[in-house]
Amino acid sequence: MPVSPKANRPDLYRQIAKLTLPIVLQNLLSAAVNSADVVMLNFVGPAHISAVSLAAQYASVLFMVFYGLGTGATMLCAQYWGKGDLRAIEVVEGITLRFSMAVSALFAAAAFFAPRLLMRAFTPNPELIEIGAQYLRNIAFAYLCWGVIEAYLAVLRSIGRVAVATALNTVAFTLNILLNAVFIFGLFGAPKLGAPGVALATSISRGVELALALIVSARSRDVKLKPALLLARNKLLFRDFLRMALPALANDVIWGLGYSMYSVIIGQFLGDDMVAANSFASLLHNFGTVLCFAVASAGGILLGQIIGENRLADAEDAAKKLMRLTVISGLIGGGIILAAMPFVLRFANLSEVGKGYLRVMLLINSYYVMGAAVNTTLIAGVFRAGGDSRFGFICDTIDMWVYAVPLGFIAAAALKLPPLWVYFLLCTDEFVKWPWVIRHYRSRKWLRNITREGLFEGE
């Protein structure tokens, strides 16, 4: 079994890079799928772009659920991997699968049976509601597959098998892009479906990814994806999972719902031009944060393994180096957005008003990524590596639901400020919480070994 690197060795940066590069590729491919959606739907019409952008907010919330559950699994599995306890990892995997499959089933049922009701939460526009409803109904199957895939890949990443997870995602994302073209434009005799075609392509590619995950599992010598794991039980691990995963899950859902409320504010109060411009701005923001989030994920995995070996001083040193990399990645992300801005403005099928909105929104995002980079690395990477998910939950709940979302509604609905002023205010959320996040990092309260001895004694 591989051993995590010593934090005080000169190759720590190399180890982080080894984990970061596959995650960057994976995130780039994910962003590329979203880009392909926008590029291809650009030829269909702005209504299809806007409808998919709004309907996809439910997938964003679902992703946050999976990310929260996966984080809970990663917090435990990374440390138990450092400790060398494979049986504990299998039990945690089974717990994660039970939760993720249940949640994905609920989302799939809502998307298939009540898609128009879901769309009305984001827009009163009948055309967007109808297009979005067709999209949601076609993507319901993808939600079911996604629940299994994300749980399994989270465990693979926690033990350092990032390349395997990236390979599976590469196949799925590549197939998704190809099928997008087939179903959007009606290639090879397929019907021209527009936005619903995007969802159908996603469902098929997720089904293929799940099949490949089962093949990888069958050939794996350690972490497997098998039905027997759903029955794996251990009271102490279940208690630990709930204690760590539930705050992480609540944190990510609270943040995801809050971020989705930004789209509600934009869609309900700021007009269709702002909705369409926000579709492109969100796309560029995702590209700008790819490296930042990859560094946070890779660093969190390494820190968890180091802490699991009970090398707390080494972990603290590794966290400092991770923060330096985070600042660099934030600067790179902002540069990517600025460099891409002229091309996006030339390409975007927007009105002149929409392009004016988009220009300013991209300038805001060029520095906004730094706020997201620092907070994500500390809250979702460093703190959770030491088993501390509670602080992030409290911090993001206050930041999103006491500050940002009410401010956005007041600015848009009550004060009726210009759309760009509302957008600017919404994008202050990451910087408002910096003082508390950085102070918690310096307190070292997050630095804990959360593994247990004698988990399976007496069985």
Side-chain angles (χ1 to χ4, degrees):
M1 185 176 71
V3 178
S4 58
K6 296 288 186 182
N8 54 358
R9 290 178 182 172
D11 64 347
L12 176 69
Y13 290 120
R14 193 180 311 129
Q15 294 292 335
I16 291 179
K18 185 178 179 181
L19 288 176
T20 297
L21 291 177
I23 296 174
V24 166
L25 176 60
Q26 180 181 334
N27 292 345
L28 280 174
L29 288 168
S30 178
V33 172
N34 295 331
S35 301
D37 294 348
V38 174
V39 169
M40 296 178 194
L41 290 174
N42 192 56
F43 294 98
V44 180
H48 284 253
I49 296 176
S50 298
V52 169
S53 174
L54 294 175
Q57 295 302 314
Y58 288 103
S60 297
V61 173
L62 185 57
F63 172 78
M64 290 301 167
V65 174
F66 293 148
Y67 188 78
L69 291 172
T71 296
T74 299
M75 283 191 289
L76 288 165
C77 290
Q79 289 204 16
Y80 277 110
W81 182 252
K83 188 176 182 179
D85 192 339
L86 182 59
R87 189 176 178 188
I89 292 174
E90 290 180 337
V91 173
V92 172
E93 182 186 357
I95 295 169
T96 308
L97 281 168
R98 290 197 294 272
F99 277 105
S100 63
M101 291 173 67
V103 172
S104 62
L106 288 175
F107 270 75
F112 189 81
F113 293 109
R116 290 178 179 81
L117 181 63
L118 296 180
M119 284 301 299
R120 287 193 189 100
F122 288 104
T123 178
N125 187 316
E127 182 184 11
L128 298 186
I129 290 174
E130 186 58 35
I131 296 172
Q134 295 176 42
Y135 173 92
L136 287 171
R137 185 170 283 117
N138 281 348
I139 207 170
F141 176 72
Y143 292 167
L144 294 174
C145 298
W146 204 11
V148 179
I149 293 167
E150 286 301 314
Y152 181 55
L153 296 189
V155 177
L156 285 181
R157 294 187 194 101
S158 71
I159 66 171
R161 301 291 173 81
V162 178
V164 176
T166 301
L168 291 174
N169 284 153
T170 299
V171 173
F173 292 154
T174 302
L175 179 62
N176 198 346
I177 292 173
L178 294 175
L179 291 177
N180 276 346
V182 170
F183 293 121
I184 290 175
F185 301 120
L187 304 180
F188 310 113
K192 291 184 178 181
L193 299 176
V198 172
L200 181 59
T202 301
S203 288
I204 294 173
S205 62
R206 286 294 181 184
V208 171
E209 186 178 15
L210 178 57
L212 292 175
L214 292 171
I215 294 173
V216 169
S217 167
R219 297 183 177 182
S220 175
R221 285 183 287 183
D222 36 57
V223 176
K224 293 182 177 291
L225 180 60
K226 52 188 179 182
L229 292 177
L230 294 172
L231 303 177
R233 297 285 192 276
N234 184 278
K235 291 181 178 179
L236 290 176
L237 280 175
F238 185 74
R239 191 182 309 151
D240 286 345
F241 183 86
L242 292 181
R243 181 166 53 87
M244 295 167 200
L246 288 185
L249 170 60
N251 183 182
D252 293 328
V253 171
I254 285 292
W255 188 89
L257 287 173
Y259 202 76
S260 294
M261 291 303 295
Y262 295 0
S263 295
V264 172
I265 292 168
I266 292 171
Q268 296 286 359
F269 302 108
L270 304 186
D272 292 342
D273 284 325
M274 196 68 178
V275 171
N278 188 52
S279 301
F280 287 94
S282 297
L283 180 65
L284 263 292
H285 176 83
N286 290 340
F287 270 109
T289 55
V290 161
L291 180 60
C292 311
F293 293 172
V295 168
S297 297
I301 292 169
L302 284 175
L303 282 174
Q305 292 176 358
I306 294 168
I307 295 171
E309 294 175 9
N310 211 33
R311 297 188 287 116
L312 302 187
D314 290 343
E316 186 176 6
D317 181 59
K320 292 176 182 177
K321 293 178 180 178
L322 181 60
M323 284 304 300
R324 296 189 197 112
L325 290 176
T326 297
V327 173
I328 294 171
S329 66
L331 292 173
I332 293 173
I336 289 172
I337 292 175
L338 290 176
M341 187 165 67
F343 302 98
V344 175
L345 289 172
R346 186 179 308 153
F347 159 79
N349 184 14
L350 300 173
S351 66
E352 287 303 313
V353 173
K355 287 187 176 181
Y357 287 158
L358 180 58
R359 183 178 292 105
V360 177
M361 293 165 79
L362 292 180
L363 288 173
I364 291 173
N365 275 278
S366 69
Y367 67 80
Y368 186 43
V369 294
M370 180 62 76
V374 172
N375 289 325
T376 300
T377 297
L378 289 176
I379 292 176
V382 174
F383 299 165
R384 292 182 183 181
D388 183 359
S389 56
R390 186 170 175 270
F391 173 83
F393 166 62
I394 295 172
C395 182
D396 280 334
T397 300
I398 294 172
D399 180 59
M400 298 297 285
W401 293 96
V402 178
Y403 171 74
V405 172
L407 178 64
F409 274 109
I410 291 170
L415 301 179
K416 299 190 183 300
L417 294 181
L420 289 175
W421 275 105
V422 176
Y423 187 81
F424 167 77
L425 290 173
L426 290 173
C427 291
T428 60
D429 62 332
E430 296 287 357
F431 300 101
V432 166
K433 60 187 176 185
W434 262 16
W436 289 271
V437 173
I438 294 172
R439 185 175 66 178
H440 188 68
Y441 164 69
R442 291 175 176 171
S443 75
R444 299 177 72 250
K445 293 178 180 178
W446 52 272
L447 192 55
R448 294 178 298 145
N449 186 333
I450 57 176
T451 61
R452 293 179 181 268
E453 300 290 342
L455 280 170
F456 303 101
E457 290 180 0
E459 293 188 5

